Amino acid sequence: MATSQRKKGGVQRVESKLRACIERGDYYEAHQMYRTLYFRYSAQKKYNDALELTYSGASLLLEHNQLCSGADLAMLWLEVLTQASMPVSKENIDRAISLFKELEADSPERISYINAALKWTKTVHPDETSGHPQLHNQLALVFWKEKNYIQSRYHFLHCSDGQGCGTMLIELSLQQGFPSEVDLFIAQTVFQYLCLNNKSAAKVTYMTYTESHPQIEEGPPFQKPLLNFVWYLLLAVEDCLTGGSSGKVTVFSVLCDIYKPSIRRDPSYLQYLDRIGQLFFGLPPPQQSGGSGLLDNLIQSFLRGEEEEGPPPAQPEEEDLD
Amino acid sequence: GAPGLPWQSVVPADWVPVIQRDIETQRNLQPQPPFSDAYSTGIPAKRRKTSH
């Protein structure tokens, strides 16, 4: 007890020195001292001390607009979380997000930071292959607030916040989409959720979007055929149809056939539906032919949890090999 | 589709009138205008091609 008190006092004393250093504007010196201490604590496996130090250093430097040194300490903080397999708790997620918000939008530091944060959650939860949903959810909300809809949509797809996703999509459709795309925005997202095997998020997103979008009348059924197709697809996936699995696959095929004119409005839909047919209706993958590369790209980029800002693929594109 | 079976006998009965109307609506479907950036950035393959 006494030793741990004294140790804690030690960290606090060092921290208040460093704080004073930063208040004086000696950023470089403070940054170097933080790093030195980080390496010392980390080598001694004093992970909690290392965490406190790097987190408070990162917050303080970022508060003072020292973006590079702040980002550097933020990365060290994530490194300790990863090394020590710290839990993906609410507190740690909150801290990760609070540092993330301070980093400059669209900066390379932010991209590295997201990748490192997701890597930490994957280390702790190896089954969450694209990163922990809680982290994705918080990232989606921050990006949404910043009106970075591309990134927000990407992170919503990797969590289960269908209500948030549906509401964000309404805003995106109204502010930046065309009126001819009102039904496409929700169809695209539902298909993508289903390809990621997340049917409950698909359904909640669909309900939220169709109930609250000012350009969609009350339903289902709706005026727009594509909206009805998506609704029937969700029902078929949900297993609330009679006739067992052979009946279900027949319904799925019939729906895809009848709604082909609507499905063709976006060429990628057919590929999503192939995948959905395999995942939920036991259909075999389509015949492998020269043209299957696009499907693979499309679906794989979700399954791998790949991001637009992620590192470029290590493999050259297939067409480059030919 | 389902060989030999009319689609009406395959889907739940309450879907039939809706689907019938949708078949009609789709006959007059206008060609899809080019997508907005907001929409097309949700297509992953496209996103990758245009982002570098």
Side-chain angles (χ1 to χ4, degrees):
Chain A
M1 195 69 194
T3 30
S4 89
Q5 279 295 345
R6 208 172 60 222
K7 266 198 292 198
K8 196 154 188 179
V11 176
Q12 272 168 2
R13 211 167 42 243
V14 169
E15 274 196 300
S16 64
K17 265 188 183 168
L18 285 167
R19 188 175 286 269
C21 195
I22 286 175
E23 303 297 345
R24 278 199 310 273
D26 291 337
Y27 302 122
Y28 178 81
E29 194 193 335
H31 182 208
Q32 293 311 312
M33 278 166 70
Y34 274 115
R35 285 187 68 93
T36 307
L37 284 166
Y38 154 79
F39 284 115
R40 185 178 305 164
Y41 289 145
S42 169
Q44 295 168 348
K45 296 201 184 335
K46 291 181 175 169
Y47 293 126
N48 285 323
D49 289 349
L51 282 174
E52 285 311 312
L53 187 86
T54 47
Y55 179 77
S56 69
S59 317
L60 211 53
L61 284 165
L62 289 172
E63 251 169 57
H64 286 78
N65 273 320
Q66 300 302 302
L67 296 175
C68 284
S69 52
D72 178 61
L73 293 182
M75 292 297 282
L76 293 181
W77 177 68
L78 287 173
E79 210 168 291
V80 187
L81 285 179
T82 311
Q83 259 176 22
S85 290
M86 298 306 273
V88 182
S89 60
K90 186 180 180 306
E91 193 202 354
N92 285 333
I93 294 269
D94 286 349
R95 286 186 154 197
I97 292 298
S98 112
L99 292 180
F100 172 73
K101 282 186 192 158
E102 297 292 327
L103 298 171
E104 211 172 345
D106 299 323
S107 64
E109 285 83 6
R110 232 188 185 191
I111 296 163
S112 317
Y113 182 84
I114 293 183
N115 289 336
L118 288 170
K119 191 184 134 203
W120 155 57
T121 66
K122 284 187 259 187
T123 307
V124 185
H125 298 269
D127 48 316
E128 303 284 3
T129 48
S130 47
H132 199 279
Q134 281 302 110
L135 180 58
H136 280 298
N137 200 165
Q138 295 306 313
L139 289 170
L141 295 172
V142 175
F143 278 123
W144 179 11
K145 218 172 203 171
E146 294 178 355
K147 310 241 181 253
N148 185 340
Y149 296 108
I150 299 174
Q151 289 303 319
S152 178
R153 177 167 49 189
Y154 172 84
H155 289 289
F156 268 125
L157 279 173
H158 289 92
C159 67
S160 287
D161 182 3
Q163 200 157 13
C165 186
T167 312
M168 182 277 294
L169 281 178
I170 293 174
E171 198 179 301
L172 173 60
S173 141
L174 289 173
Q175 292 190 3
Q176 296 180 11
F178 299 149
S180 60
E181 297 170 335
V182 166
D183 49 350
L184 293 179
F185 274 103
I186 187 58
Q188 177 185 60
T189 299
V190 167
F191 295 153
Q192 290 176 345
Y193 265 130
L194 291 177
C195 285
L196 291 163
N197 211 350
N198 193 346
K199 56 184 178 182
S200 66
K203 186 168 184 193
V204 175
T205 305
Y206 178 88
M207 305 288 276
T208 307
Y209 187 90
T210 54
E211 272 167 19
S212 306
H213 198 299
Q215 288 158 8
I216 296 176
E217 77 282 8
E218 210 178 302
F222 298 99
Q223 300 292 323
K224 291 176 188 299
L226 184 61
L227 290 178
N228 292 329
F229 171 72
V230 175
W231 175 242
Y232 293 146
L233 175 68
L234 285 168
L235 292 180
V237 159
E238 275 222 334
D239 215 5
C240 44
L241 298 177
T242 51
S245 61
S246 70
K248 271 180 53 170
V249 70
T250 315
V251 169
F252 175 70
S253 307
V254 162
L255 287 175
C256 289
D257 200 40
I258 289 175
Y259 284 94
K260 204 176 273 173
S262 297
I263 293 166
R264 281 197 181 129
R265 291 170 57 200
D266 176 343
S268 58
Y269 286 178
L270 267 180
Q271 287 136 23
Y272 294 132
L273 289 166
D274 274 339
R275 174 83 188 175
I276 291 165
Q278 294 164 44
L279 272 175
F280 296 98
F281 303 100
L283 286 172
Q287 294 274 308
Q288 293 296 306
S289 67
S292 64
L294 176 64
L295 165 70
D296 289 345
N297 281 350
L298 200 66
I299 304 301
Q300 287 306 322
S301 64
F302 281 118
L303 300 184
R304 281 200 304 265
E306 185 179 313
E307 289 201 54
E308 178 178 28
E309 357 124 295
Q315 298 290 324
E317 295 286 345
E318 262 179 75
E319 54 240 45
D320 294 340
L321 292 172
D322 291 337
Chain B
L5 278 174
W7 65 264
Q8 289 91 337
S9 68
V10 171
V11 301
D14 54 331
W15 297 10
V16 172
V18 178
I19 293 179
Q20 240 146 12
R21 205 196 58 211
D22 284 345
I23 290 174
E24 281 307 309
T25 310
Q26 290 186 129
R27 289 215 171 101
N28 304 312
L29 204 67
Q30 300 298 310
Q32 182 66 38
F35 296 137
S36 64
D37 284 348
Y39 179 76
S40 58
T41 47
I43 306 170
K46 167 128 187 172
R47 235 174 66 189
R48 281 172 59 196
K49 277 202 179 114
T50 53
S51 63
H52 293 293

